Amino acid sequence: MVVKIIDKLPKNNIILVPRDKKLSKKSKKIRTKKRFLSKDNKQYIFYDVNHSTLSYRNGLGETLNFFNKDNITVWLSDDLDIAIAQIDTCLSSQYYWEPLKNLHKPDQPNIYLYTKSRAIKKIFRERVIISEAENFVRDLSNLPANYGTPKELCNKIISKLKKLNNLSIECWNKKKLKKNNMNLMLSVAQASKTEPTMSIIKYKGSNKKPICLIGKGVTFDLGGANIKMDEDHLWSMKYDKVGATTVAGIIYACAKLKLPINLIGFLPFSENLLGSKATLPGDVITSKSGINVEIYNTDAEGRLLLADAIELANNYKPELIIDIATLTGQADDIFGGKAAVAVGDKEICDLLKKHGNKVDERVHDLPLYDDYIENVEDSIADIKNSGYSDTAQVLNSAAFLSKFPKYKWCHLDIAGVANSNNIPYIYDGATGYGIRLFVNFLKEYNKSVKYTKNSKKNTKSNKQKSIIKKSKRKRRIK
């Protein structure tokens, strides 16, 4: 299977064309037909679209599902945003997860992308890299708990990223987590025989202050002592690590694209199980920075991993901290799996919304009122990890997390968009949501924000320059 750009229409291929495309005078008469055979024996198949890029993704994706061994040509739009949507769809449609299948991979078509636009040809390599990053996220996220253990995920991430330039990776084991007082994280892993790990990925494409990305990595979530009762969906708790795998994919894409930014990713991986050593409701655990947390609900474990990682990120004096997590089922209920929920800094939320709409990975923000922050304050400890009510858990979780960052911060709950079986152009399972969104977001944020450089060399050279200027002035005065 191939997906490649061409600038001449092949003779024998089936050509997929959006219904609003004008081919010739004759084509206007057959606008209602699905198929059209031209004079030169080219077979055109129309797919339905409206004026949104999302309609192009869905219309083209549904049509591609009908073909397997054929050679398909997709006629790309002259509009760059629509052409990008078409390219992304074709690349995503080729993904198939098969590591644990004994059956052969199903036949898929060779896809040729027809365009004469230089701008579209230039953007193609970037879309291929973004697709590779999405597939990397899907590969990690789809792993069941017995294959995707914390240690195994660390090893797979190291194996994938170690050859990239300007990138370094650390993997902390349980001993190092204890040494660094990651107590909240360790409390989540207490009942599991599988030890937790923390992957720290640093991509230095510039000397600017780092942007810290933190991903929740619960490799399987049983709920702990507050055990989950939803038997029908318990199998899907392997997807509770998608926040962490998404961060790995974002950094992979940025490093391959050589973006001039400084990124640090924190990937805390752990299981949340039930056993004789499990943390119990009512236990009080001290965070890395000394905040005492009452464990009001052991099934609100993801925010404990994120809290310790956020406090670790504070040590790097970042420009911005964003945490990404499948944190609450209510994030899915609010938008029905059509958008992620953002809470935190208004400027960041607005930028995420803007780029989410542009690349069809939608984000909507919610307000963090003082009432929600008061709801996580506690009579026993400094704070508790869950509000007293089951309502507004999306905001209660954000309220809890807001206690930990010392720098500009945003929380992104992707529980509703992390995995799906109803997107026409994506294989069932993890969606790879967030790669397109964050590549676009980081590009603009990097250009629009005035950073304070961390480079010691620059500060020294500036001091030397000022000393030289002063000495020259003294000479002139004499």
Side-chain angles (χ1 to χ4, degrees), residues 395-414:
L395 292 162
N396 284 331
S397 61
F400 173 81
L401 290 171
S402 71
K403 297 286 186 178
F404 297 91
K406 294 180 181 178
Y407 300 88
K408 191 185 291 187
W409 162 80
C410 180
H411 163 63
L412 191 67
D413 195 332
I414 62 170

Side-chain angles (χ1 to χ4, degrees), residues 30-31 118 138 167 284 311 348 361 364 366 370 413:
I30 50 85
R31 198 54 58 124
R118 289 184 179 179
R138 291 170 186 147
L167 197 142
V284 175
E311 290 192 328
I348 303 305
E361 292 190 330
H364 206 290
L366 294 177
D370 291 341
D413 195 332

